[in-house]
Amino acid sequence: MVRRTTLFALFLVSYIPLFFILAIQNLNDTFVDDNGEALGLRQVLINNTLPIVLTSISILSFGFYLLFIKVNASAGFRNPKKITRIKNTGVEYLSYLATYIIPFIGLKFDTWNNLLATSLLFFVIGFIYTKTNLLYANPTLALFGYYIFNATFEDGEERTVISKGKLKKNTSYKYKELSDDLYFIKPNAQ
């Protein structure tokens, strides 16, 4: 259950910037009616329902990021393993941006069918990313100071590693298994 929650949290965290961008794009900045009268707060809020929902989703997603921090700060780290080879895979961030975030920016939410289609696309991408363990490569983690590495350990095991700091070759680290091929390492937890 913790692994699924962590993977789902990483998926939602990856879309924090997108939800904010879409909220700004859909913001209705009309504060007066056709007669030049100021709109009431209630009407302004009604006119901005979608941006409010998107901002709320961003805040909820940030809450999942905090959950990710809490889960990975707690106990459960395994005995240290030495990394013998390491490769930074930061290019994955650009792939994620180009493939899964930028296309959403042009989407319209002006009709119920566009909103439904966008929601379905979002859930399909989430399902695929959760099943394929590719959701760790999201740009929001980079914004929060995380690194992604492909690491080979002294026993020959190869894993993708998320780390809150840079890792060094020929150094042993405690690790936490997030999924079958994904580890979380805190560099200071050696």
Side-chain angles (χ1 to χ4, degrees):
M1 182 64 178
V2 171
R3 286 185 187 174
R4 284 188 183 155
T5 303
T6 300
L7 293 176
F8 182 72
L10 287 174
F11 171 68
L12 283 180
V13 165
S14 70
Y15 282 96
I16 290 173
L18 174 70
F19 295 138
F20 273 124
I21 290 167
L22 290 174
I24 291 167
Q25 274 187 331
N26 289 283
L27 193 62
N28 184 336
D29 61 353
T30 303
F31 298 105
V32 293
D33 63 16
D34 294 336
N35 299 326
E37 299 285 323
L39 296 175
L41 178 61
R42 183 170 190 250
Q43 188 59 47
V44 170
L45 292 175
I46 289 170
N47 291 347
N48 286 293
T49 301
L50 182 61
I52 290 168
V53 168
L54 291 168
T55 301
S56 299
I57 293 172
S58 289
I59 293 167
L60 175 70
S61 299
F62 187 75
F64 277 106
Y65 168 70
L66 296 176
L67 176 67
F68 173 76
I69 291 173
K70 182 179 180 183
V71 166
N72 290 303
S74 62
F77 283 89
R78 296 183 181 180
N79 290 332
K81 289 173 78 169
K82 183 188 270 187
I83 294 177
T84 57
R85 193 171 41 158
I86 193 159
K87 179 183 175 196
N88 189 331
T89 59
V91 72
E92 297 290 332
Y93 295 134
L94 295 177
S95 171
Y96 193 93
L97 270 173
T99 309
Y100 295 100
I101 292 185
I102 292 174
F104 272 115
I105 293 175
L107 296 175
K108 299 288 184 197
F109 297 96
D110 52 350
T111 63
W112 70 268
N113 53 344
N114 283 344
L115 185 60
L116 179 62
T118 301
S119 299
L120 287 174
L121 179 61
F122 178 76
F123 285 113
V124 167
I125 290 171
F127 178 79
I128 291 169
Y129 257 55
T130 302
K131 288 294 185 185
T132 60
N133 288 333
L134 293 175
L135 54 94
Y136 58 82
N138 71 66
T140 308
L141 287 178
L143 290 173
F144 292 145
Y146 288 89
Y147 296 87
I148 299 174
F149 299 99
N150 284 330
T152 304
F153 294 90
E154 62 188 336
D155 60 3
E157 180 182 51
E158 292 183 22
R159 295 287 184 259
T160 299
V161 174
I162 297 175
S163 174
K164 184 62 175 170
K166 292 190 176 188
L167 302 177
K168 296 178 183 174
K169 191 166 67 164
N170 296 320
T171 305
S172 295
Y173 298 97
K174 289 185 178 182
Y175 66 97
K176 183 180 280 193
E177 191 173 353
L178 299 180
S179 70
D180 292 337
D181 59 351
L182 180 63
Y183 285 170
F184 177 76
I185 291 178
K186 289 194 318 186
N188 58 352
Q190 298 179 14

